[in-house]
Amino acid sequence: MTEKDIERIVALTLQRLRPPTLLLISEAQEYQKIIHARLEACHCVYHLAFEGGAEEALWHSLGNVHEDEGWLRTLSSVPYRAMVIPFLSYALAADVVNGVMHRSFAKAIHQALSCGLPVFALPYYCDPDSEINRLKGNSAHPGYVKHVQATLLALKNMGVTLCSLDELIANLMGSEIPDARESVRRYITVNDIINKKVKTDIPGALLTDAASDYLKNQKKNT
């Protein structure tokens, strides 16, 4: 056995020792086998939940399957590494953004975001302007495209990381997954500045208009 073989075995072993990743699998017409193969190649530990007409038989080989909705009740108590939605639909994205909780996946995403669990989603299917939809020749009304993209932007601002399959794999294979809370913009108010609760030079932080005017006036008076 070569040194490279040993390094590979050690890397795979460490990958398997990490906390499980929760996959939310919903119905998808295409590219299931490709995405399944890429996720399988990560050698991560997966827990799977299904919704709608998902092709469950294909995915059972990836890991532990939740047969009922009991997983939703224990979501916050299980030390998951991340939540992944490989087939994000517009309907699910709209439900999450609008706070519609009829679907178990919408409830799960809200619960994950509320406890700081990193949530990743592939927007290939629901984004009319995605590369896949362009390659397929799909042509949506420009107004509809803007509407869907506004929904996806709202979802992103809530803390969901919309990424490509390559970016998802890179995150799953990395030593650490970024905390979703670190990507949410922090707005600094006048009260924050007066009470010295935060520093104004925090990376990614934004000043409210009132806070910006306050700092300008402070500089003029010094």
Side-chain angles (χ1 to χ4, degrees):
M1 184 177 294
T2 65
E3 185 176 344
K4 185 173 292 187
D5 291 332
I6 295 174
E7 290 177 354
R8 180 175 176 274
I9 292 172
V10 171
L12 291 177
T13 301
L14 291 175
Q15 188 78 343
R16 300 294 295 181
L17 290 174
R18 290 172 180 168
T21 295
L22 179 61
L23 300 181
L24 304 187
I25 308 297
S26 53
E27 183 177 8
Q29 300 299 323
E30 301 169 292
Y31 308 107
Q32 287 199 67
K33 292 182 179 179
I34 294 174
I35 293 175
H36 174 279
R38 293 289 303 278
L39 291 174
E40 186 176 40
C42 291
H43 299 284
C44 295
V45 177
Y46 297 110
H47 288 184
L48 298 93
F50 296 95
E51 184 182 71
E55 191 178 336
E56 296 187 24
L58 171 66
W59 295 90
H60 278 202
S61 62
L62 276 188
N64 298 327
V65 176
H66 295 298
E67 300 292 350
D68 53 41
E69 290 192 7
W71 63 272
L72 188 56
R73 293 189 295 271
T74 60
L75 178 59
S76 59
S77 62
V78 178
Y80 288 115
R81 188 163 182 250
M83 173 185 287
V84 173
I85 304 100
F87 308 106
L88 178 67
S89 66
Y90 170 72
L92 178 57
D95 282 352
V96 174
V97 168
N98 294 315
V100 178
M101 301 294 186
H102 298 313
R103 304 171 62 177
S104 60
F105 280 12
K107 295 177 185 177
I109 294 170
H110 269 276
Q111 194 170 335
L113 293 173
S114 69
C115 65
L117 179 68
V119 179
F120 297 89
L122 304 182
Y124 293 129
Y125 286 89
C126 60
D127 184 357
D129 199 37
S130 70
E131 185 177 6
I132 285 179
N133 283 318
R134 290 200 303 270
L135 289 173
K136 290 164 62 177
N138 293 343
S139 180
H141 188 281
Y144 177 74
V145 173
K146 288 182 180 179
H147 174 75
V148 174
Q149 290 180 340
T151 301
L152 294 178
L153 178 60
L155 188 68
K156 184 176 180 180
N157 288 338
M158 289 177 67
V160 176
T161 300
L162 303 178
C163 57
S164 68
L165 181 56
D166 286 341
E167 290 169 337
L168 172 63
I169 297 301
N171 275 291
L172 293 180
M173 294 292 288
S175 58
E176 291 185 3
I177 290 181
D179 191 325
R181 291 168 291 186
E182 294 178 359
S183 63
V184 178
R185 288 184 172 179
R186 169 72 162 93
Y187 284 87
I188 298 176
T189 66
V190 173
N191 285 336
D192 289 334
I193 297 173
I194 294 175
N195 297 326
K196 298 181 179 179
K197 291 181 179 179
V198 295
K199 296 180 179 179
T200 57
D201 58 351
I202 296 175
L206 296 176
L207 296 171
T208 62
D209 291 340
S212 180
D213 292 338
Y214 176 82
L215 287 177
K216 289 177 182 177
N217 290 330
Q218 288 291 98
K219 290 180 180 178
K220 288 180 181 178
N221 296 330
T222 57

